[in-house]
Amino acid sequence: MSNNIIQVAAAVIECDGRYLITQRGPRTHLAGFWEFPGGKREPGESLEACVLREVYEELGVEVTQPTPFMVIQHEYPEKEVELHFFSCSISQGEVQPLGCADFRWVTPEELANFAFPPADDPVVARLRERPGVRT
């Protein structure tokens, strides 16, 4: 593994037993895959601040204070990422696909119907183990 790890913060946003997933745009790494909204941490930015910024930039909504959910390190052929997933919910605004190709609200069971990047598999598996959980 390289020393040049890309840190990413992503939001696991739940509402009424459904999770918000977004589709990557056509000219991005892993284009067309579904994921949890988020992105690269900027220099000097906390992971929590990154989640808040990325969700607002991608979807035009504000979320509650992010709570750590899971950390995953994954090595793709072209890059290594450290993904920090945070649980939160929407506190203000209506979801719009501003920085993504599309979005969906899905149940834990429906997550299996979408293609996620390999790095997201442990999060999808954990959410699918908890069907019907309400926060």
Short mmCIF file of all heavy atoms in Angstrom, two decimals, residues 45-103:
data_model
loop_
_atom_site.label_atom_id
_atom_site.label_comp_id
_atom_site.label_asym_id
_atom_site.label_seq_id
_atom_site.Cartn_x
_atom_site.Cartn_y
_atom_site.Cartn_z
N GLU A 45 -9.14 20.34 6.54
CA GLU A 45 -10.56 20.15 6.80
C GLU A 45 -10.77 18.92 7.67
O GLU A 45 -10.14 17.88 7.44
CB GLU A 45 -11.28 19.97 5.45
CG GLU A 45 -12.78 19.86 5.53
CD GLU A 45 -13.41 19.73 4.14
OE1 GLU A 45 -12.92 18.93 3.31
OE2 GLU A 45 -14.39 20.43 3.89
N SER A 46 -11.66 19.01 8.66
CA SER A 46 -11.98 17.83 9.45
C SER A 46 -12.86 16.90 8.60
O SER A 46 -13.51 17.34 7.65
CB SER A 46 -12.71 18.21 10.74
OG SER A 46 -14.03 18.63 10.45
N LEU A 47 -12.88 15.64 8.97
CA LEU A 47 -13.73 14.69 8.24
C LEU A 47 -15.21 15.06 8.38
O LEU A 47 -15.97 14.97 7.43
CB LEU A 47 -13.47 13.27 8.73
CG LEU A 47 -12.09 12.72 8.34
CD1 LEU A 47 -11.72 11.53 9.20
CD2 LEU A 47 -12.06 12.36 6.86
N GLU A 48 -15.61 15.52 9.57
CA GLU A 48 -17.00 15.93 9.78
C GLU A 48 -17.36 17.13 8.91
O GLU A 48 -18.43 17.15 8.30
CB GLU A 48 -17.25 16.26 11.26
CG GLU A 48 -17.19 15.05 12.18
CD GLU A 48 -15.75 14.65 12.60
OE1 GLU A 48 -14.77 15.30 12.17
OE2 GLU A 48 -15.63 13.67 13.34
N ALA A 49 -16.45 18.11 8.83
CA ALA A 49 -16.70 19.28 7.98
C ALA A 49 -16.76 18.86 6.50
O ALA A 49 -17.55 19.40 5.73
CB ALA A 49 -15.62 20.33 8.19
N CYS A 50 -15.96 17.88 6.12
CA CYS A 50 -15.96 17.37 4.75
C CYS A 50 -17.33 16.78 4.41
O CYS A 50 -17.87 17.04 3.34
CB CYS A 50 -14.85 16.34 4.58
SG CYS A 50 -14.80 15.56 2.95
N VAL A 51 -17.88 15.98 5.32
CA VAL A 51 -19.20 15.39 5.08
C VAL A 51 -20.24 16.49 4.88
O VAL A 51 -21.02 16.45 3.92
CB VAL A 51 -19.63 14.47 6.26
CG1 VAL A 51 -21.10 14.11 6.15
CG2 VAL A 51 -18.79 13.22 6.28
N LEU A 52 -20.25 17.47 5.77
CA LEU A 52 -21.23 18.55 5.67
C LEU A 52 -21.11 19.29 4.34
O LEU A 52 -22.11 19.55 3.66
CB LEU A 52 -21.06 19.53 6.84
CG LEU A 52 -21.28 18.95 8.24
CD1 LEU A 52 -20.92 19.99 9.30
CD2 LEU A 52 -22.70 18.46 8.42
N ARG A 53 -19.86 19.61 3.95
CA ARG A 53 -19.62 20.33 2.69
C ARG A 53 -20.02 19.50 1.48
O ARG A 53 -20.73 19.97 0.59
CB ARG A 53 -18.14 20.72 2.60
CG ARG A 53 -17.76 21.40 1.28
CD ARG A 53 -16.26 21.72 1.19
NE ARG A 53 -15.40 20.57 1.39
CZ ARG A 53 -15.18 19.63 0.46
NH1 ARG A 53 -15.78 19.68 -0.72
NH2 ARG A 53 -14.36 18.61 0.70
N GLU A 54 -19.55 18.25 1.44
CA GLU A 54 -19.82 17.40 0.28
C GLU A 54 -21.32 17.14 0.08
O GLU A 54 -21.81 17.18 -1.04
CB GLU A 54 -19.06 16.08 0.40
CG GLU A 54 -17.56 16.21 0.16
CD GLU A 54 -17.20 16.35 -1.31
OE1 GLU A 54 -18.07 16.14 -2.19
OE2 GLU A 54 -16.03 16.67 -1.59
N VAL A 55 -22.04 16.87 1.16
CA VAL A 55 -23.48 16.62 1.04
C VAL A 55 -24.17 17.87 0.52
O VAL A 55 -25.05 17.79 -0.35
CB VAL A 55 -24.08 16.15 2.38
CG1 VAL A 55 -25.60 16.16 2.35
CG2 VAL A 55 -23.57 14.77 2.74
N TYR A 56 -23.76 19.03 1.01
CA TYR A 56 -24.38 20.28 0.53
C TYR A 56 -24.05 20.51 -0.94
O TYR A 56 -24.93 20.87 -1.74
CB TYR A 56 -23.93 21.47 1.38
CG TYR A 56 -24.69 22.72 1.03
CD1 TYR A 56 -26.00 22.92 1.48
CD2 TYR A 56 -24.12 23.69 0.22
CE1 TYR A 56 -26.72 24.03 1.13
CE2 TYR A 56 -24.83 24.83 -0.14
CZ TYR A 56 -26.13 25.00 0.32
OH TYR A 56 -26.84 26.12 -0.04
N GLU A 57 -22.79 20.29 -1.34
CA GLU A 57 -22.39 20.51 -2.74
C GLU A 57 -23.08 19.52 -3.68
O GLU A 57 -23.49 19.89 -4.77
CB GLU A 57 -20.88 20.37 -2.89
CG GLU A 57 -20.10 21.53 -2.30
CD GLU A 57 -18.59 21.32 -2.37
OE1 GLU A 57 -18.13 20.28 -2.90
OE2 GLU A 57 -17.85 22.20 -1.88
N GLU A 58 -23.19 18.26 -3.26
CA GLU A 58 -23.77 17.23 -4.14
C GLU A 58 -25.29 17.25 -4.19
O GLU A 58 -25.89 16.95 -5.21
CB GLU A 58 -23.34 15.83 -3.68
CG GLU A 58 -21.91 15.49 -3.99
CD GLU A 58 -21.57 14.06 -3.60
OE1 GLU A 58 -22.46 13.19 -3.61
OE2 GLU A 58 -20.39 13.81 -3.29
N LEU A 59 -25.92 17.58 -3.04
CA LEU A 59 -27.37 17.39 -2.93
C LEU A 59 -28.15 18.63 -2.49
O LEU A 59 -29.38 18.60 -2.45
CB LEU A 59 -27.65 16.24 -1.95
CG LEU A 59 -27.04 14.90 -2.37
CD1 LEU A 59 -27.09 13.92 -1.21
CD2 LEU A 59 -27.74 14.36 -3.58
N GLY A 60 -27.46 19.70 -2.10
CA GLY A 60 -28.14 20.94 -1.72
C GLY A 60 -28.89 20.86 -0.40
O GLY A 60 -29.84 21.63 -0.19
N VAL A 61 -28.49 19.95 0.48
CA VAL A 61 -29.15 19.82 1.78
C VAL A 61 -28.13 19.91 2.91
O VAL A 61 -26.94 19.66 2.71
CB VAL A 61 -29.93 18.49 1.92
CG1 VAL A 61 -31.09 18.44 0.94
CG2 VAL A 61 -29.03 17.28 1.77
N GLU A 62 -28.63 20.28 4.08
CA GLU A 62 -27.81 20.28 5.28
C GLU A 62 -28.18 19.05 6.09
O GLU A 62 -29.33 18.62 6.08
CB GLU A 62 -28.05 21.56 6.09
CG GLU A 62 -27.58 22.80 5.35
CD GLU A 62 -27.84 24.08 6.12
OE1 GLU A 62 -28.12 24.03 7.34
OE2 GLU A 62 -27.79 25.15 5.49
N VAL A 63 -27.18 18.49 6.78
CA VAL A 63 -27.42 17.29 7.58
C VAL A 63 -27.06 17.56 9.04
O VAL A 63 -26.35 18.51 9.36
CB VAL A 63 -26.62 16.08 7.06
CG1 VAL A 63 -27.12 15.65 5.69
CG2 VAL A 63 -25.13 16.34 7.03
N THR A 64 -27.57 16.68 9.90
CA THR A 64 -27.27 16.75 11.32
C THR A 64 -25.79 16.45 11.57
O THR A 64 -25.10 15.98 10.66
CB THR A 64 -28.14 15.73 12.08
OG1 THR A 64 -27.88 14.43 11.54
CG2 THR A 64 -29.62 16.05 11.94
N GLN A 65 -25.35 16.68 12.79
CA GLN A 65 -23.95 16.42 13.14
C GLN A 65 -23.59 14.97 12.81
O GLN A 65 -24.25 14.05 13.29
CB GLN A 65 -23.74 16.68 14.64
CG GLN A 65 -22.31 16.48 15.10
CD GLN A 65 -21.32 17.43 14.43
OE1 GLN A 65 -21.61 18.60 14.19
NE2 GLN A 65 -20.15 16.93 14.10
N PRO A 66 -22.58 14.76 11.96
CA PRO A 66 -22.20 13.39 11.57
C PRO A 66 -21.64 12.59 12.75
O PRO A 66 -20.85 13.10 13.53
CB PRO A 66 -21.12 13.61 10.50
CG PRO A 66 -21.21 15.05 10.10
CD PRO A 66 -21.78 15.77 11.27
N THR A 67 -22.06 11.33 12.85
CA THR A 67 -21.59 10.40 13.88
C THR A 67 -20.80 9.28 13.19
O THR A 67 -21.31 8.70 12.23
CB THR A 67 -22.80 9.78 14.61
OG1 THR A 67 -23.59 10.83 15.15
CG2 THR A 67 -22.34 8.86 15.72
N PRO A 68 -19.59 8.98 13.65
CA PRO A 68 -18.80 7.93 12.99
C PRO A 68 -19.57 6.61 12.91
O PRO A 68 -20.21 6.19 13.87
CB PRO A 68 -17.57 7.79 13.89
CG PRO A 68 -17.44 9.13 14.54
CD PRO A 68 -18.85 9.60 14.76
N PHE A 69 -19.52 5.98 11.73
CA PHE A 69 -20.23 4.73 11.48
C PHE A 69 -19.26 3.58 11.15
O PHE A 69 -19.36 2.50 11.70
CB PHE A 69 -21.23 4.93 10.33
CG PHE A 69 -22.00 3.70 9.96
CD1 PHE A 69 -23.00 3.22 10.79
CD2 PHE A 69 -21.74 3.02 8.78
CE1 PHE A 69 -23.72 2.07 10.45
CE2 PHE A 69 -22.45 1.88 8.43
CZ PHE A 69 -23.45 1.41 9.27
N MET A 70 -18.31 3.84 10.24
CA MET A 70 -17.38 2.79 9.83
C MET A 70 -16.21 3.44 9.07
O MET A 70 -16.41 4.45 8.40
CB MET A 70 -18.11 1.81 8.91
CG MET A 70 -17.31 0.60 8.48
SD MET A 70 -18.24 -0.48 7.34
CE MET A 70 -19.11 -1.49 8.50
N VAL A 71 -15.03 2.84 9.18
CA VAL A 71 -13.85 3.28 8.42
C VAL A 71 -13.36 2.08 7.61
O VAL A 71 -13.25 0.98 8.14
CB VAL A 71 -12.72 3.79 9.34
CG1 VAL A 71 -11.51 4.20 8.51
CG2 VAL A 71 -13.20 4.96 10.18
N ILE A 72 -13.10 2.32 6.33
CA ILE A 72 -12.67 1.25 5.43
C ILE A 72 -11.46 1.74 4.63
O ILE A 72 -11.47 2.85 4.10
CB ILE A 72 -13.80 0.89 4.43
CG1 ILE A 72 -15.01 0.36 5.18
CG2 ILE A 72 -13.31 -0.11 3.38
CD1 ILE A 72 -16.26 0.30 4.35
N GLN A 73 -10.43 0.90 4.56
CA GLN A 73 -9.31 1.18 3.66
C GLN A 73 -9.44 0.22 2.49
O GLN A 73 -9.70 -0.97 2.68
CB GLN A 73 -7.98 0.99 4.36
CG GLN A 73 -7.63 2.15 5.26
CD GLN A 73 -6.15 2.21 5.59
OE1 GLN A 73 -5.45 1.22 5.58
NE2 GLN A 73 -5.68 3.40 5.88
N HIS A 74 -9.28 0.77 1.28
CA HIS A 74 -9.41 -0.06 0.08
C HIS A 74 -8.40 0.40 -0.96
O HIS A 74 -8.19 1.59 -1.16
CB HIS A 74 -10.83 0.08 -0.49
CG HIS A 74 -11.09 -0.86 -1.63
ND1 HIS A 74 -11.46 -2.17 -1.44
CD2 HIS A 74 -11.00 -0.68 -2.97
CE1 HIS A 74 -11.61 -2.76 -2.61
NE2 HIS A 74 -11.32 -1.87 -3.56
N GLU A 75 -7.79 -0.58 -1.61
CA GLU A 75 -6.81 -0.28 -2.64
C GLU A 75 -7.38 -0.64 -4.01
O GLU A 75 -7.67 -1.80 -4.28
CB GLU A 75 -5.52 -1.04 -2.38
CG GLU A 75 -4.36 -0.54 -3.21
CD GLU A 75 -3.02 -1.11 -2.76
OE1 GLU A 75 -2.97 -1.80 -1.74
OE2 GLU A 75 -2.03 -0.85 -3.47
N TYR A 76 -7.58 0.39 -4.83
CA TYR A 76 -7.94 0.20 -6.23
C TYR A 76 -6.63 0.13 -7.02
O TYR A 76 -5.59 0.57 -6.53
CB TYR A 76 -8.78 1.38 -6.73
CG TYR A 76 -10.17 1.43 -6.15
CD1 TYR A 76 -10.49 2.33 -5.13
CD2 TYR A 76 -11.18 0.59 -6.62
CE1 TYR A 76 -11.76 2.37 -4.59
CE2 TYR A 76 -12.46 0.63 -6.08
CZ TYR A 76 -12.75 1.53 -5.08
OH TYR A 76 -14.01 1.56 -4.54
N PRO A 77 -6.66 -0.38 -8.25
CA PRO A 77 -5.41 -0.43 -9.03
C PRO A 77 -4.76 0.94 -9.19
O PRO A 77 -3.53 1.05 -9.18
CB PRO A 77 -5.86 -0.97 -10.40
CG PRO A 77 -7.12 -1.73 -10.10
CD PRO A 77 -7.77 -1.01 -8.95
N GLU A 78 -5.56 2.00 -9.29
CA GLU A 78 -5.02 3.33 -9.56
C GLU A 78 -4.90 4.23 -8.34
O GLU A 78 -4.29 5.29 -8.41
CB GLU A 78 -5.86 4.03 -10.64
CG GLU A 78 -7.30 4.34 -10.24
CD GLU A 78 -8.27 3.16 -10.31
OE1 GLU A 78 -7.87 2.02 -10.64
OE2 GLU A 78 -9.45 3.38 -10.03
N LYS A 79 -5.49 3.84 -7.19
CA LYS A 79 -5.40 4.69 -6.01
C LYS A 79 -5.82 3.92 -4.76
O LYS A 79 -6.51 2.90 -4.85
CB LYS A 79 -6.26 5.95 -6.15
CG LYS A 79 -7.77 5.68 -6.28
CD LYS A 79 -8.59 6.96 -6.31
CE LYS A 79 -8.67 7.53 -7.70
NZ LYS A 79 -9.58 8.64 -7.83
N GLU A 80 -5.39 4.43 -3.61
CA GLU A 80 -5.78 3.85 -2.33
C GLU A 80 -6.63 4.87 -1.58
O GLU A 80 -6.29 6.06 -1.53
CB GLU A 80 -4.54 3.49 -1.51
CG GLU A 80 -4.88 2.78 -0.23
CD GLU A 80 -3.64 2.37 0.56
OE1 GLU A 80 -2.53 2.47 0.01
OE2 GLU A 80 -3.80 1.99 1.72
N VAL A 81 -7.73 4.40 -1.03
CA VAL A 81 -8.64 5.31 -0.33
C VAL A 81 -8.88 4.84 1.10
O VAL A 81 -8.84 3.64 1.39
CB VAL A 81 -10.00 5.44 -1.06
CG1 VAL A 81 -9.85 6.12 -2.41
CG2 VAL A 81 -10.69 4.09 -1.21
N GLU A 82 -9.11 5.81 1.97
CA GLU A 82 -9.54 5.55 3.33
C GLU A 82 -10.89 6.25 3.47
O GLU A 82 -10.97 7.47 3.42
CB GLU A 82 -8.53 6.11 4.33
CG GLU A 82 -8.88 5.81 5.77
CD GLU A 82 -7.82 6.32 6.72
OE1 GLU A 82 -7.87 7.53 7.05
OE2 GLU A 82 -6.95 5.53 7.10
N LEU A 83 -11.92 5.43 3.57
CA LEU A 83 -13.29 5.95 3.58
C LEU A 83 -13.81 6.03 5.00
O LEU A 83 -13.82 5.03 5.72
CB LEU A 83 -14.21 5.04 2.76
CG LEU A 83 -13.81 4.84 1.31
CD1 LEU A 83 -14.52 3.63 0.73
CD2 LEU A 83 -14.15 6.07 0.51
N HIS A 84 -14.24 7.21 5.39
CA HIS A 84 -14.82 7.44 6.71
C HIS A 84 -16.32 7.66 6.52
O HIS A 84 -16.73 8.69 5.96
CB HIS A 84 -14.18 8.66 7.38
CG HIS A 84 -12.73 8.47 7.66
ND1 HIS A 84 -12.26 8.11 8.90
CD2 HIS A 84 -11.64 8.56 6.85
CE1 HIS A 84 -10.95 7.99 8.86
NE2 HIS A 84 -10.55 8.26 7.62
N PHE A 85 -17.11 6.69 6.95
CA PHE A 85 -18.57 6.80 6.82
C PHE A 85 -19.16 7.34 8.11
O PHE A 85 -18.76 6.92 9.20
CB PHE A 85 -19.18 5.42 6.49
CG PHE A 85 -18.83 4.94 5.12
CD1 PHE A 85 -17.69 4.18 4.90
CD2 PHE A 85 -19.63 5.25 4.03
CE1 PHE A 85 -17.36 3.73 3.63
CE2 PHE A 85 -19.31 4.82 2.75
CZ PHE A 85 -18.16 4.05 2.56
N PHE A 86 -20.11 8.26 7.96
CA PHE A 86 -20.77 8.90 9.10
C PHE A 86 -22.28 8.76 8.97
O PHE A 86 -22.83 8.94 7.88
CB PHE A 86 -20.43 10.39 9.15
CG PHE A 86 -18.98 10.67 9.47
CD1 PHE A 86 -18.04 10.73 8.46
CD2 PHE A 86 -18.57 10.87 10.77
CE1 PHE A 86 -16.71 11.00 8.74
CE2 PHE A 86 -17.25 11.13 11.07
CZ PHE A 86 -16.30 11.20 10.05
N SER A 87 -22.95 8.47 10.08
CA SER A 87 -24.41 8.45 10.11
C SER A 87 -24.91 9.87 10.34
O SER A 87 -24.34 10.61 11.15
CB SER A 87 -24.92 7.57 11.25
OG SER A 87 -24.53 6.24 11.07
N CYS A 88 -25.98 10.24 9.64
CA CYS A 88 -26.62 11.54 9.85
C CYS A 88 -27.99 11.52 9.18
O CYS A 88 -28.38 10.53 8.56
CB CYS A 88 -25.75 12.67 9.30
SG CYS A 88 -25.28 12.51 7.57
N SER A 89 -28.71 12.61 9.33
CA SER A 89 -30.00 12.74 8.66
C SER A 89 -30.13 14.16 8.13
O SER A 89 -29.38 15.05 8.54
CB SER A 89 -31.15 12.39 9.61
OG SER A 89 -31.10 13.20 10.75
N ILE A 90 -31.05 14.37 7.23
CA ILE A 90 -31.24 15.69 6.64
C ILE A 90 -31.90 16.60 7.67
O ILE A 90 -32.91 16.24 8.28
CB ILE A 90 -32.07 15.60 5.35
CG1 ILE A 90 -31.28 14.83 4.29
CG2 ILE A 90 -32.46 16.99 4.86
CD1 ILE A 90 -32.04 14.56 3.02
N SER A 91 -31.31 17.77 7.85
CA SER A 91 -31.88 18.74 8.79
C SER A 91 -32.55 19.90 8.07
O SER A 91 -33.44 20.53 8.62
CB SER A 91 -30.80 19.27 9.74
OG SER A 91 -29.76 19.90 9.00
N GLN A 92 -32.15 20.15 6.82
CA GLN A 92 -32.72 21.27 6.09
C GLN A 92 -32.53 21.09 4.59
O GLN A 92 -31.46 20.68 4.14
CB GLN A 92 -32.05 22.58 6.53
CG GLN A 92 -32.73 23.82 6.03
CD GLN A 92 -32.16 25.07 6.69
OE1 GLN A 92 -31.55 25.01 7.74
NE2 GLN A 92 -32.35 26.20 6.05
N GLY A 93 -33.58 21.39 3.82
CA GLY A 93 -33.50 21.38 2.37
C GLY A 93 -34.16 20.18 1.73
O GLY A 93 -34.56 19.23 2.41
N GLU A 94 -34.28 20.25 0.41
CA GLU A 94 -34.83 19.16 -0.41
C GLU A 94 -33.71 18.62 -1.28
O GLU A 94 -32.98 19.39 -1.92
CB GLU A 94 -35.95 19.68 -1.32
CG GLU A 94 -37.22 20.06 -0.58
CD GLU A 94 -37.94 18.83 -0.02
OE1 GLU A 94 -37.96 17.79 -0.71
OE2 GLU A 94 -38.48 18.92 1.09
N VAL A 95 -33.57 17.31 -1.33
CA VAL A 95 -32.49 16.68 -2.09
C VAL A 95 -32.62 16.99 -3.57
O VAL A 95 -33.70 16.85 -4.16
CB VAL A 95 -32.50 15.15 -1.87
CG1 VAL A 95 -31.42 14.48 -2.71
CG2 VAL A 95 -32.31 14.82 -0.39
N GLN A 96 -31.52 17.45 -4.17
CA GLN A 96 -31.43 17.71 -5.61
C GLN A 96 -30.11 17.12 -6.11
O GLN A 96 -29.10 17.22 -5.42
CB GLN A 96 -31.39 19.22 -5.88
CG GLN A 96 -32.51 20.02 -5.26
CD GLN A 96 -32.16 21.50 -5.29
OE1 GLN A 96 -32.00 22.06 -6.37
NE2 GLN A 96 -32.00 22.11 -4.14
N PRO A 97 -30.09 16.54 -7.32
CA PRO A 97 -28.85 15.96 -7.84
C PRO A 97 -27.92 17.03 -8.44
O PRO A 97 -27.77 17.13 -9.65
CB PRO A 97 -29.35 14.97 -8.90
CG PRO A 97 -30.63 15.58 -9.39
CD PRO A 97 -31.24 16.27 -8.19
N LEU A 98 -27.29 17.83 -7.58
CA LEU A 98 -26.45 18.93 -8.04
C LEU A 98 -25.06 18.46 -8.48
O LEU A 98 -24.53 18.94 -9.47
CB LEU A 98 -26.29 19.97 -6.92
CG LEU A 98 -27.57 20.57 -6.37
CD1 LEU A 98 -27.26 21.49 -5.19
CD2 LEU A 98 -28.33 21.32 -7.46
N GLY A 99 -24.48 17.53 -7.72
CA GLY A 99 -23.12 17.07 -8.01
C GLY A 99 -23.06 15.58 -8.22
O GLY A 99 -22.03 14.96 -7.98
N CYS A 100 -24.16 15.00 -8.65
CA CYS A 100 -24.22 13.57 -8.92
C CYS A 100 -25.18 13.36 -10.09
O CYS A 100 -25.93 14.25 -10.45
CB CYS A 100 -24.68 12.79 -7.69
SG CYS A 100 -26.29 13.25 -7.05
N ALA A 101 -25.14 12.17 -10.68
CA ALA A 101 -26.00 11.89 -11.83
C ALA A 101 -27.45 11.65 -11.42
O ALA A 101 -28.38 12.00 -12.14
CB ALA A 101 -25.46 10.69 -12.60
N ASP A 102 -27.66 11.04 -10.23
CA ASP A 102 -29.00 10.70 -9.79
C ASP A 102 -28.95 10.36 -8.31
O ASP A 102 -27.87 10.23 -7.73
CB ASP A 102 -29.51 9.49 -10.60
CG ASP A 102 -31.03 9.36 -10.59
OD1 ASP A 102 -31.72 10.19 -9.94
OD2 ASP A 102 -31.54 8.42 -11.22
N PHE A 103 -30.12 10.21 -7.69
CA PHE A 103 -30.17 9.77 -6.30
C PHE A 103 -31.42 8.92 -6.10
O PHE A 103 -32.37 8.98 -6.87
CB PHE A 103 -30.17 10.96 -5.32
CG PHE A 103 -31.44 11.77 -5.34
CD1 PHE A 103 -32.49 11.46 -4.46
CD2 PHE A 103 -31.59 12.83 -6.20
CE1 PHE A 103 -33.66 12.19 -4.48
CE2 PHE A 103 -32.77 13.58 -6.23
CZ PHE A 103 -33.79 13.25 -5.36
#
